[in-house]
């Protein structure tokens, strides 16, 4: 297997072989679904999807593995709570054109796809009406027209879903179109794919990205140090060699990364892989995710303690996305006493 050339078709085969069945994933991990709070009903609402490469990093026989908890459909997702809604961050109101979310000055988010290589149970994407966004290539022109007509936009953020799930042909067309918009200086790619499906980062993809004259920033989405293995490190090394800026954002998730030890190890592991910690997000309160929520006061205590244990450049900014605000809200760390 490992001697095969990493052709674009090859990454698509890896994607096609992802686990999509609870029982099969459990078998692979030596777990009995009967011992777990798994829910087929939750799976039907938002399907299970776990690439093999990522599944290899889940510990066997461990129902509490922090990577498993991010992907396993469980009964808690069916609970309702009036504080958890389908669009807690106000994205639908901020749609400037089909596929364009323009909330912040100088930056616009471009949504090209609703698909991802993995399905994370805490994700806002569960509820977002992608189908209304005319994501097909032939309808992309109105989004690009909007970007062309807004000279204050200097940075385009490719988001989704996961923009790197698009095939090379579609990415090529998108990058060619963005190249013509001269006021865009930076293309930022928000993606979890280098972490969950590193096979997708092919030499063809790198050379496609290198054809742009704009600065490339990759914002990874890694939540736990165990998500970073040698395949991920090899990928980020390539990004650095090609002079992309590589940042990471995480979501603070209960029982997954809500301890000082884990967050400290996460920052250090990221840094070893040449990735700069950027944001630590409080959970977006999306329907069915309340079992992942960490209280703001606990988050503040965690980050205050991190600041006493790590160099400043390894402490991510604790932020929260709030509807209608001109930027992400940086949480004030002074408002609670730290852990003793
Ligand atoms: C998070 C986000 C951005 C980027 O914000 P930064 O603080 O620059 O990382 C831009 N637009 C939208 C809609 C966002 O949610
Ligand atoms: S958008 Fe990101 S967090 Fe949500 S399912 Fe896709 S990869 Fe996971």
């Amino acid at each position: 297997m490992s001697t095969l050339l990493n052709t674009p078709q090859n990454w698509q085969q890896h994607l096609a072989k992802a686990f999509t069945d609870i029982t099969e994933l459990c078998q692979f991990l030596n777990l009995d679904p009967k011992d777990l709070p798994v829910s087929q009903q939750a799976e039907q609402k938002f399907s299970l999807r776990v690439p093999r490469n990522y599944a290899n990093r889940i510990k066997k026989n461990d129902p509490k593995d922090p990577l498993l908890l991010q992907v396993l459909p469980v009964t808690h997702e069916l609970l309702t709570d009036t504080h958890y809604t389908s669009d807690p961050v106000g994205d639908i109101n901020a749609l400037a054109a089909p596929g364009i979310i323009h909330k912040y000055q100088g930056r616009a988010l471009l949504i090209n796809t609703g698909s991802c290589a993995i399905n994370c149970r805490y994700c806002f994407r569960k509820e977002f009406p992608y189908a209304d966004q005319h994501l097909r290539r032939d309808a992309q022109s109105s989004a690009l027209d909007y970007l062309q007509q807004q000279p204050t936009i200097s940075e385009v953020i490719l988001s989704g879903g996961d923009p790197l799930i698009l095939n090379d042909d579609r990415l090529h067309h998108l990058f060619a179109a963005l190249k013509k918009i001269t006021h865009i200086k930076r293309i930022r790619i928000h993606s979890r794919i280098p972490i969950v499906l590193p096979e997708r980062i092919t030499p063809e993809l790198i050379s496609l990205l290198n054809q742009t004259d704009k600065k490339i920033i990759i914002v990874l989405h890694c939540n736990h140090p165990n998500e970073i293995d040698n395949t991920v490190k090899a990928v980020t090394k390539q990004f650095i060699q090609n002079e992309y800026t590589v940042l990471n954002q995480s979501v603070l998730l209960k029982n997954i990364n809500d301890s000082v030890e884990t967050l400290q190890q996460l920052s250090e592991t990221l840094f070893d892989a040449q990735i700069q910690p950027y944001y630590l997000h409080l959970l977006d309160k999306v329907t069915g995710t309340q079992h992942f929520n960490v209280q703001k006061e606990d988050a503040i205590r965690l980050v205050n303690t991190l600041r006493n244990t790590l160099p400043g450049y390894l402490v991510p900014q604790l932020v929260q996305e709030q509807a209608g605000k001109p930027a992400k809200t940086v949480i004030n760390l002074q408002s609670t006493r730290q852990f003793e």
Side-chain angles (χ1 to χ4, degrees):
M1 276 297 285
S2 58
T3 56
L4 280 178
L5 278 177
N6 200 7
T7 60
Q9 291 72 30
N10 198 26
W11 74 263
Q12 283 161 329
Q13 284 162 11
H14 281 289
L15 181 62
K17 281 192 232 139
F19 286 102
T20 55
D21 181 89
I22 295 178
T23 314
E24 274 179 38
L25 178 65
C26 288
Q27 255 167 18
F28 176 78
L29 297 172
N30 295 337
L31 292 167
D32 187 344
K34 287 192 207 74
D35 301 334
L36 300 163
V38 293
S39 165
Q40 296 292 347
Q41 201 183 332
E43 201 279 331
Q44 272 156 26
K45 286 178 82 177
F46 187 54
S47 59
L48 172 106
R49 188 188 270 199
V50 187
R52 302 261 159 179
N53 192 314
Y54 189 84
N56 285 336
R57 289 171 247 160
I58 302 176
K59 281 195 282 332
K60 304 270 196 295
N61 291 310
D62 183 1
K64 293 194 168 146
D65 179 88
L67 275 51
L68 177 65
L69 295 182
Q70 293 181 55
V71 296
L72 193 67
V74 292
T75 51
H76 309 85
E77 293 174 32
L78 304 172
L79 298 172
T80 55
D81 178 323
T82 51
H83 296 106
Y84 289 74
T85 59
S86 64
D87 183 26
V89 300
D91 275 349
I92 290 165
N93 275 333
L95 283 163
I100 295 267
I101 300 179
H102 189 188
K103 279 207 270 197
Y104 303 157
Q105 193 176 330
R107 293 146 290 169
L109 215 112
L110 179 58
I111 299 174
N112 280 287
T113 174
S115 300
C116 289
I118 192 165
N119 283 345
C120 313
R121 309 314 298 178
Y122 53 85
C123 185
F124 68 97
R125 199 168 65 85
K126 280 186 181 175
E127 300 279 335
F128 194 77
Y130 286 99
D132 303 344
Q133 298 310 312
H134 309 292
L135 301 170
R136 288 178 35 235
R137 187 199 297 170
D138 53 347
Q140 204 180 53
S141 61
S142 59
L144 291 163
D145 286 347
Y146 179 85
L147 294 175
Q148 178 69 61
Q149 288 154 12
Q150 299 281 323
T152 60
I153 296 175
S154 54
E155 178 166 336
V156 167
I157 300 170
L158 305 183
S159 181
D162 197 314
L164 295 182
I165 199 116
L166 298 175
N167 65 31
D168 287 1
D169 187 41
R170 282 199 58 188
L171 283 174
H172 176 78
H173 279 87
L174 176 60
F175 272 70
L178 291 174
K179 198 169 188 174
K180 295 194 194 120
I181 309 180
T182 51
H183 56 263
I184 295 173
K185 305 289 180 225
R186 300 182 296 279
I187 300 178
R188 196 199 306 184
I189 302 172
H190 277 219
S191 176
R192 192 151 155 73
I193 279 188
I195 303 289
V196 303
L197 188 73
E199 297 92 341
R200 200 294 166 237
I201 314 304
T202 58
E204 291 82 1
L205 176 67
I206 298 282
S207 61
L208 185 160
L209 297 178
N210 284 344
Q211 274 158 26
T212 185
D213 54 345
K214 306 178 194 303
K215 172 73 187 167
I216 293 193
I217 302 146
I218 313 257
V219 181
L220 301 175
H221 177 173
C222 173
N223 296 319
H224 193 281
N226 295 359
E227 290 181 347
I228 298 179
D229 67 358
N230 287 335
T231 59
V232 175
K233 284 186 190 163
V235 159
T236 53
K237 191 170 175 186
Q238 283 191 65
F239 290 158
I240 298 293
Q241 281 168 346
N242 285 281
E243 299 182 6
Y244 311 158
T245 298
V246 188
L247 309 173
N248 184 65
Q249 57 177 352
S250 311
V251 181
L252 187 57
L253 298 165
K254 193 171 182 175
N255 298 326
I256 292 171
N257 60 11
D258 61 334
S259 77
V260 173
E261 296 71 31
T262 303
L263 291 175
Q264 184 175 342
Q265 214 192 334
L266 174 59
S267 276
E268 289 185 342
T269 309
L270 288 168
F271 190 73
D272 287 345
Q274 310 195 66
I275 307 163
Q276 176 66 45
Y278 180 41
Y279 280 150
L280 177 63
H281 287 264
L282 292 184
L283 185 76
D284 292 334
K285 296 195 169 176
V286 175
T287 311
T289 63
Q290 51 270 50
H291 55 295
F292 288 117
N293 191 47
V294 177
Q295 295 299 326
K296 194 194 278 189
E297 295 67 33
D298 294 332
I300 290 171
R301 278 194 217 101
L302 280 168
V303 176
N304 267 325
T305 309
L306 266 192
R307 289 182 59 186
N308 293 340
T309 51
L310 284 172
Y313 60 87
L314 288 188
V315 182
Q317 277 199 76
L318 181 64
V319 294
Q320 180 171 31
E321 179 118 11
Q322 288 177 313
K325 294 281 169 70
K328 306 218 190 290
T329 307
V330 178
I331 308 292
N332 178 3
L333 296 178
Q334 309 309 323
S335 59
T336 304
R337 284 174 52 111
Q338 64 188 68
F339 283 129
E340 294 308 326

